[in-house]
Amino acid sequence: MFRVLFLMILALVGLILGPNIAGNQGYVRIETDTKVIEMSLVVLVFFFVAALAVVYLLEWLFSRLFRLSRGAYQWVGKRKRKKAQQQTLEGLMKMTEGDYSKAEKLISKNAKHADEPILNFIKAAEAAQQRGDDLNANHYLLEAAKIAGPNNIAVEIARTQVLLQQNKLPAARSSVDSLLELAPNNIEALRLGIEIYQRSGAYKALDNVLENAKQVSFLSATEYESLMQQVEDGLLDEVMNEEGQEGLLRWWEHQPSRRRRSVYVRAGLVKRLIESGDHLSAEKIALETVKKFNDDQLADLFGVLVDLQAEPEGKLVQMLQKRAQKAENLYSDDYARVLGYLFTRAGLFEQAKPYFVQLLDHQECVSNDRIMALYMAEKTGDIVLVDRLKQENLKDINMNEDEVLALPVAESRNNI
């Protein structure tokens, strides 16, 4: 617009000034080696204006042509993006319906023109994996990695998920190791780490993951406690199998305070020491545990002490007897059970008798307790106690039979 106005002004100036200089036009001479051009000043001005108009016209034509070309290119690109968006939505619907073959084709067809091509390739990989096509799944992940570049969390998570679904645990383990270094607090990465380390039995790595999971707080208290107990049992078994009883004791000395404060771990340690035949070390750790913790915290330890062989005059038995005298009714039977077993294993049947009688009187004598109590009663020649224990066993058998007979009746009522 400005250029047209400029040309019009030049033409207007020429028309105004032309008559005034008609009698005094001046003279212009252009000479080359072979040619001479002569013209008046007015002609030169009009020639200049005409040439400038031609240049402006050519520029406008070229710009118009390129604008049309760019508009056509943009139209084609917009059409492809719109089509890719439509196919992506259709593909996601097919995935929801379970038609993974169709979903893969729709999502991957124009993936590079989609709004989020990386997500398209990831979804295509998931669809391919769902129908068991490992080759295509890996291909789509490579395409996603090319676009996203290295260290893209979304792509790495998808790769790890695909490897896990393919049951390639070593490769999945390597992938999740890298992923957790890249994003140690990412919830999905932590979930994958927990599952993969559980399945591969990598308890040390799982222990580290649970530390991060505790900080992020995406697990419930019950889930966290269950997983932590799996880790602790796995670590105890792993050290015991690889390094034996002495290695297990060395491992225990170097554990963090949070683990040394766990009665569950201490009970697991005592159990494995008993199984290895090291009752002396087991007794020492059990004594330390009884001293440090209250009655309501010792349930796990009571469960393993029934298998211990301890000196009747030792500090542990004396400590248990003192605690039993002061314990509330709720916990006195736990102490009675342990002391009854310890004295029976030591051959002190008369000292064991009152503890088993207490369990019988309180109706806390379970099947294993009655077997040990029956052995003790036979050794002491207490016929009355033997008959009582046998009657308790018969009651238990009859109750179990009644429960079994009641099952079909209950099921038939539920069916009705």
Side-chain angles (χ1 to χ4, degrees), residues 370 389-399:
R370 288 195 295 271
L389 288 166
K390 289 181 178 179
Q391 289 175 5
E392 290 290 332
N393 283 334
L394 287 173
K395 287 181 183 178
D396 191 31
I397 293 171
N398 291 332
M399 287 177 64

Side-chain angles (χ1 to χ4, degrees), residues 354-409:
Y355 295 112
F356 284 113
V357 171
Q358 176 183 330
L359 292 176
L360 284 168
D361 291 341
H362 294 175
Q363 297 183 350
E364 293 291 335
C365 207
V366 298
S367 178
N368 289 338
D369 298 340
R370 288 195 295 271
I371 293 172
M372 184 64 80
L374 188 59
Y375 172 72
M376 174 273 302
E378 290 174 347
K379 288 293 184 181
T380 57
D382 191 335
I383 300 174
V384 175
L385 184 57
V386 170
D387 290 340
R388 182 180 177 184
L389 288 166
K390 289 181 178 179
Q391 289 175 5
E392 290 290 332
N393 283 334
L394 287 173
K395 287 181 183 178
D396 191 31
I397 293 171
N398 291 332
M399 287 177 64
N400 291 334
E401 287 179 351
D402 291 341
E403 289 176 1
V404 171
L405 291 173
L407 282 175
V409 176

Side-chain angles (χ1 to χ4, degrees), residues 216-285:
V216 178
S217 301
F218 72 92
L219 294 172
S220 68
T222 304
E223 289 174 330
Y224 180 82
E225 185 67 23
S226 176
L227 284 170
M228 186 54 72
Q229 289 182 358
Q230 288 182 35
V231 168
E232 288 160 348
D233 286 332
L235 289 173
L236 287 167
D237 289 334
E238 187 177 277
V239 176
M240 187 68 187
N241 293 334
E242 292 179 0
E243 303 178 34
Q245 161 263 337
E246 293 183 359
L248 187 62
L249 290 172
R250 287 194 300 269
W251 173 85
W252 174 246
E253 291 300 323
H254 294 91
Q255 290 310 294
S257 58
R258 66 171 178 81
R259 181 158 286 142
R260 293 179 66 85
R261 289 195 301 267
S262 170
V263 177
Y264 183 85
V265 181
R266 287 174 170 271
L269 179 63
V270 170
K271 177 183 177 182
R272 286 158 181 81
L273 289 171
I274 292 173
E275 290 173 350
S276 69
D278 190 356
H279 291 267
L280 188 61
S281 297
E283 182 179 352
K284 180 181 176 182
I285 293 171

Side-chain angles (χ1 to χ4, degrees), residues 284-303:
K284 180 181 176 182
I285 293 171
L287 175 62
E288 180 184 313
T289 305
V290 173
K291 286 181 178 179
K292 287 185 176 182
F293 297 92
N294 298 325
D295 295 344
D296 59 339
Q297 299 172 294
L298 295 174
D300 292 321
L301 183 66
F302 288 141

